[in-house]
Amino acid sequence: MTTLQAAKLVAGREVRVKLRDKAFLFSTVLLLFFTALGIVLPMLLEGGPTKVAVTGATHVAALEQAGLEVQTVPDLATAERLVREEEVEAAVVDGPRVLALEEAPDDVVSALSTSPPVEFLEPDAVNEAARFLVPFVLSVLFFFTTLTFGVQIAQSVTEEKQTRIVEILVSSVPVRALLIGKVAAMTLLAFGQLALLAVVGLIGMRVADVGGPVIDALLPTVGWFLPFFMIGFLMLATLWAGVGALAARLEDVNGTSAPLQMLVMTPFFLVLSLQGNATAMTVLSYIPFSAPIAMPVRIFSGEAAAWEPYLALAVLLAATAATILAGARIYQGSLLRTNGRTSYATAWRNSTPVV
Amino acid sequence: MTTVLNVEAVNRSFGERQVLKDVSFTVESGRLTGFVGANGAGKTTTMRIILGVLAADTGTVTWCGNPVTREDRQGFGYMPEERGLYPKMTVTEQIVYLGRLHGLGTADAKRRTATLLERLELTERANDPVEKLSLGNQQRAQIAAALVHDPQLLVLDEPFSGLDPIAVETVLAVLRERARTGTAVLFSSHQLELVERLCDDLVIIADGTIRAAGSRTWLREQYTLPRFEIEVDTDAGWLRDQPGVTLIELDGHRAVFDLAAEADEQPILRAALDRGPVRTFAPIRPSLAEIFREVIR
């Protein structure tokens, strides 16, 4: 059997086990639910178009064109009653005059008036909320996924080590087949989960009728985020497998993975707190550990030049190659050391792959 | 019956401590080889080196004359000392999985798993996760995992520990069947009576060195002392005065004695018959436990 065939078998098992893991399924469904909710909820709270009562037929067309819900009433008295009873938010009566309770209904007023055209010299396609929300969501997604899946990779390695099944595995297939299979399976699952989220998110935005400009700005951002996410995840995944192999028991995983947890958490907080600072963000978008978040954020805000994501991706790929080698070395150096926690140094030195 | 596995002058140290010193022995196809030694004598380390889980510092392990390769190991079955299967996977699933890792196709692996579980009387629990099984049943599953791909060499580290007497008989029978079809079986155990019943060949290790190795019958002969047991109707105290006799035990009518190397036991028997009826007169064969104690001394 070749290493690849063995790796496929290993990956197949990992995926099957995970897809039947209730905790995993539940967290995925929950994540999808909150994504959909987050997008659709604002629309539901808005409560539909403004209702307005109108006497006569003169202004009906103009009001309907502005997207208001128009109710034609016979006379002024009825219109006034409807406003008082809050059946409608405003009424348009002859004059034209607008009746309202205590607040001027802007949308009704602007529907009836002509304002001079405004030309934006620096159009800001994306509104304030989206500018905050998009970086936040991307950061959380990458942070959350790399951390939860990472810990799961580590735990699954430790489990094999703790139950000693690793001895049976290693006696039949090469160690690297185990590593490749495991990392590939988890990357696939993480990416699948993310893709599912992206699809639900985009559908949700269409349904919620989020303004076209936001989606237009989002598409390239998400398009770039996916490769950055996948490679960034891969970069960390092998390291997670390595720290999993350092632990002898599941209880040790938290300890052996502490440096890696820092490596995941620090970029997350840096990007969130420094996103107003263009220089800092530029730097962060090239550092491999923060690039998967920082570069898509810069693409979204329109700050990144067209060539920049390619360069950042190249840097990320190089870093990934390095961490895969390092992670594999730690993994091989500690996988079969069953008495107690293995230190990084010991694992690094003892990486003599067993025949 | 040919020598298939050859362990040659294997040394291995952990830090300063040398745990294996020039370990050499052979395992033959179609035979059950017992690997006996005290805790820490080096049994597990030797087995792990055979399986490639651990590297030898020096020395070689050959399979049919050539150094063991990964392909050879695909045809080995291994049951590690500390048991382990995936706790949350069902019995069938993991045995099929391990069979596939050893090169079986899916359908083949499934068929063999079903047969094997039937043979090991585990069919009822086939679809339960391993963590839900009793320890004894987990052990059977573990044995099934080592057997599923019909290995040419079976290496079992303490296969009987944790099994109830009925399970021991089942497993014993399965191992014998495998040996009959040509599988070479190497198993370690500290239950010497079991080893005595089961094995054809024996390897005794102590402090990292092989103290004795060979067929059980041969070892028996090597370590049989000229010792006899006698039971007569009257007091056997007269034995004391017979030439060449050293009394080991005297209990009224019954006695155990050693005979000097050049002496013959027949005159002693005749002398006994002269004094009355003889109920028992037999050489005492040492048990494996006794040989073991003798060898590792």
Side-chain angles (χ1 to χ4, degrees), chain A residues 33-47 204 208:
Chain A
F33 176 73
F34 279 116
T35 310
L37 196 70
I39 294 163
V40 177
L41 199 62
M43 181 188 73
L44 294 179
L45 290 180
E46 246 171 42

Side-chain angles (χ1 to χ4, degrees), chain A residues 1 6 9-10 13 16-17 20 159-160 163-165 167-175 178 336 338 354-355, chain B residues 48 51-55 70 73-74 78 80 82-87 89 93-94 97-98 100-103 142:
Chain A
M1 192 176 346
L9 283 174
V10 172
R13 191 201 77 90
R16 269 199 311 280
V17 167
R20 263 178 310 173
E159 184 196 41
E160 284 176 352
T163 58
R164 301 293 193 270
I165 197 163
E167 293 193 12
I168 303 177
L169 300 178
V170 166
S171 71
S172 57
V173 299
V175 172
L178 294 179
L336 294 166
T338 41
V354 178
V355 191
Chain B
R48 294 175 96 195
L51 265 304
V53 174
L54 205 66
R70 166 95 41 213
R73 290 203 180 99
Q74 287 251 307
Y78 177 38
E82 283 170 90
R83 312 289 179 239
L85 293 170
Y86 293 104
M89 267 176 112
E93 265 182 318
Q94 41 199 325
Y97 173 61
L98 290 172
R100 296 213 57 206
L101 281 184
H102 283 93
Q142 193 86 47

Side-chain angles (χ1 to χ4, degrees), chain A residues 6 19 23 64 77-78 90 97 109-110 139 151 166 178 196 203 248 261 294 306-307 321:
Chain A
L19 288 183
E64 277 180 346
T78 320
R97 273 185 311 135
V109 172
S110 64
S139 306
V151 169
V166 72
L178 294 179
L196 208 59
I203 292 176
Q261 291 179 28
W307 53 268

Side-chain angles (χ1 to χ4, degrees), chain B:
Chain B
M1 270 169 273
T2 45
T3 298
V4 280
L5 185 79
N6 198 349
V7 179
E8 287 175 53
V10 165
N11 284 284
R12 170 75 204 203
S13 302
F14 290 118
E16 294 296 296
R17 204 162 54 87
Q18 188 170 7
V19 290
L20 295 183
K21 296 162 203 152
D22 281 327
V23 166
S24 300
F25 63 91
T26 60
V27 178
E28 318 229 315
S29 66
R31 287 173 80 85
L32 296 161
T33 303
F35 194 21
V36 186
N39 289 337
K43 300 190 296 287
T44 298
T45 306
T46 307
M47 290 182 155
R48 294 175 96 195
I49 287 173
I50 293 172
L51 265 304
V53 174
L54 205 66
D57 293 339
T58 61
T60 52
V61 179
T62 63
W63 176 252
C64 298
N66 299 307
V68 180
T69 62
R70 166 95 41 213
E71 283 67 43
D72 294 332
R73 290 203 180 99
Q74 287 251 307
F76 292 179
Y78 177 38
M79 175 164 161
E81 179 190 25
E82 283 170 90
R83 312 289 179 239
L85 293 170
Y86 293 104
K88 291 192 175 6
M89 267 176 112
T90 70
V91 176
T92 298
E93 265 182 318
Q94 41 199 325
I95 295 173
V96 169
Y97 173 61
L98 290 172
R100 296 213 57 206
L101 281 184
H102 283 93
L104 299 181
T106 316
D108 197 19
K110 279 184 180 158
R111 197 176 42 76
R112 290 178 194 225
T113 301
T115 317
L116 199 52
L117 290 183
E118 185 74 49
R119 181 69 187 84
L120 287 164
E121 293 157 28
L122 207 56
T123 307
E124 267 177 49
R125 317 306 303 272
N127 294 315
D128 289 350
V130 166
E131 62 184 357
K132 295 262 166 66
L133 301 188
S134 68
L135 284 178
N137 281 339
Q138 289 190 13
Q139 183 94 330
R140 292 182 206 217
Q142 193 86 47
I143 288 168
L147 289 173
V148 62
H149 52 291
D150 278 344
Q152 294 172 284
L153 171 71
L154 255 177
V155 178
L156 310 167
D157 206 347
E158 296 284 349
F160 301 105
S161 74
L163 286 181
D164 62 62
I166 297 166
V168 166
E169 292 309 315
T170 312
V171 173
L172 262 172
V174 171
L175 293 185
R176 283 213 180 96
E177 275 166 30
R178 294 292 166 140
R180 261 204 298 281
T181 60
T183 307
V185 183
L186 176 70
F187 71 98
S188 71
S189 181
H190 61 263
Q191 286 155 281
L192 294 173
E193 317 76 59
L194 259 176
V195 178
E196 187 158 27
R197 276 179 54 203
L198 180 63
C199 71
D200 306 305
D201 296 324
L202 206 65
V203 176
I204 299 176
I205 188 172
D207 294 327
T209 48
I210 301 296
R211 295 295 172 86
S215 80
R216 185 181 52 173
T217 349
W218 181 80
L219 273 175
R220 268 256 172 85
E221 283 163 11
Q222 292 298 302
Y223 290 92
T224 298
L225 297 165
R227 178 171 291 182
F228 295 86
E229 182 185 14
I230 185 169
E231 198 177 342
V232 289
D233 279 0
T234 52
D235 188 87
W238 53 268
L239 272 168
R240 207 176 273 124
D241 308 321
Q242 294 291 316
V245 166
T246 314
L247 257 186
I248 303 296
E249 221 180 292
L250 178 64
D251 180 18
H253 301 173
R254 198 186 148 273
V256 173
F257 62 92
D258 281 353
L259 211 52
E262 67 289 349
D264 186 3
E265 79 279 8
Q266 296 305 321
I268 313 284
L269 175 58
R270 233 170 274 129
L273 285 166
D274 289 347
R275 288 171 169 80
V278 176
R279 302 297 167 194
T280 309
F281 190 86
I284 294 180
R285 298 227 176 270
S287 69
L288 181 56
E290 282 163 328
I291 296 178
F292 178 71
R293 272 197 297 275
E294 176 75 23
V295 164
I296 67 164
R297 202 157 45 202

